[in-house]
Amino acid sequence: MSQSLFNFKTYRLQDWLSAYRLLAVPLLLYTLLSRQQVPFLVLLSLSLATDALDSLLARWLRQQDKRGGQLDSYGDLLTVPFMLASLFIFKPAFLEEQAVLLSLLVGLYFLELASSILRYGKPSSFHTYLDKTSFILLGIFYFSLFLFGFIDWLFYAAMAVAILGELEELVLVLLLPRWQNNVKGLYWLLQEKQLK
């Protein structure tokens, strides 16, 4: 079966769930630029829900593959900046108060992205446990910020895990000579190297 990124005839349900995030980009952009907070948050929540569902479905059906990993990574790559951009528009006071910590995380994110593109010619697709955990925590914090206001302990916990996740991915880029998707994490990679 062809694993071409754009061979839609061979797409499975989880591939379409990942593709939804790519297709939602123009709507996210429109609602963000027109400052429609509620429609934007609804669309973003659908994008994040499909992000969780595509991975679960692929694991449950044992159909994890390179194409699915790439679609998932491109979906993340396009969705995450919208979360950050929305803070500029809808929550500028929060952004100003937490500028240092958020700048550190964004800087690490782009450093890992640039390192991966330089090393592999494309974004990484590790989907580590730490990265998935940080994405969940950041998502929970993000929506709680809009619904309930700033919850400090949740923010600092999410940021700590996210920063550790980005550092782990940077180390993985340095250690893995070839592009690889679905790497559980640094601990598991080192365990595999010891067994060899």
Side-chain angles (χ1 to χ4, degrees), residues 89-113:
I89 291 175
F90 301 127
K91 298 288 182 184
F94 161 75
L95 200 61
E96 190 176 340
E97 288 167 13
Q98 302 299 334
V100 173
L101 209 49
L102 289 168
S103 297
L104 174 63
L105 179 60
V106 170
L108 285 170
Y109 174 80
F110 283 111
L111 179 61
E112 188 278 331
L113 178 62

Side-chain angles (χ1 to χ4, degrees), residues 60-170:
W60 184 58
L61 297 172
R62 294 188 178 150
Q63 292 179 340
Q64 293 174 286
D65 56 29
K66 183 179 176 183
R67 179 182 61 198
Q70 283 184 298
L71 280 169
D72 191 39
S73 293
Y74 289 135
D76 292 346
L77 201 61
L78 291 172
T79 304
V80 170
F82 278 105
M83 293 174 79
L84 183 61
S86 69
L87 297 176
F88 280 97
I89 291 175
F90 301 127
K91 298 288 182 184
F94 161 75
L95 200 61
E96 190 176 340
E97 288 167 13
Q98 302 299 334
V100 173
L101 209 49
L102 289 168
S103 297
L104 174 63
L105 179 60
V106 170
L108 285 170
Y109 174 80
F110 283 111
L111 179 61
E112 188 278 331
L113 178 62
S115 301
S116 179
I117 290 170
L118 285 171
R119 186 151 174 113
Y120 309 126
K122 56 185 169 183
S124 65
S125 185
F126 298 132
H127 302 120
T128 64
Y129 289 151
L130 199 53
D131 190 50
K132 286 172 200 250
T133 304
S134 74
F135 203 65
I136 291 167
L137 287 173
L138 286 171
I140 291 168
F141 169 76
Y142 178 86
F143 285 102
S144 73
L145 180 65
F146 283 90
L147 294 171
F148 311 113
F150 181 70
I151 302 171
D152 58 353
W153 66 266
L154 181 56
F155 173 70
Y156 295 121
M159 290 298 289
V161 175
I163 288 168
L164 286 173
E166 289 303 326
L167 289 170
E168 179 184 49
E169 292 209 348
L170 265 172

Side-chain angles (χ1 to χ4, degrees), residues 26-86:
L27 287 171
L28 282 168
L29 185 60
Y30 172 75
T31 54
L32 185 63
L33 294 178
S34 58
R35 297 176 183 267
Q36 298 179 42
Q37 183 174 307
V38 172
F40 174 82
L41 291 174
V42 169
L43 286 168
L44 185 65
S45 65
L46 286 172
S47 288
L48 295 178
T50 59
D51 185 27
L53 284 173
D54 65 3
S55 300
L56 289 171
L57 194 58
R59 281 193 189 87
W60 184 58
L61 297 172
R62 294 188 178 150
Q63 292 179 340
Q64 293 174 286
D65 56 29
K66 183 179 176 183
R67 179 182 61 198
Q70 283 184 298
L71 280 169
D72 191 39
S73 293
Y74 289 135
D76 292 346
L77 201 61
L78 291 172
T79 304
V80 170
F82 278 105
M83 293 174 79
L84 183 61
S86 69

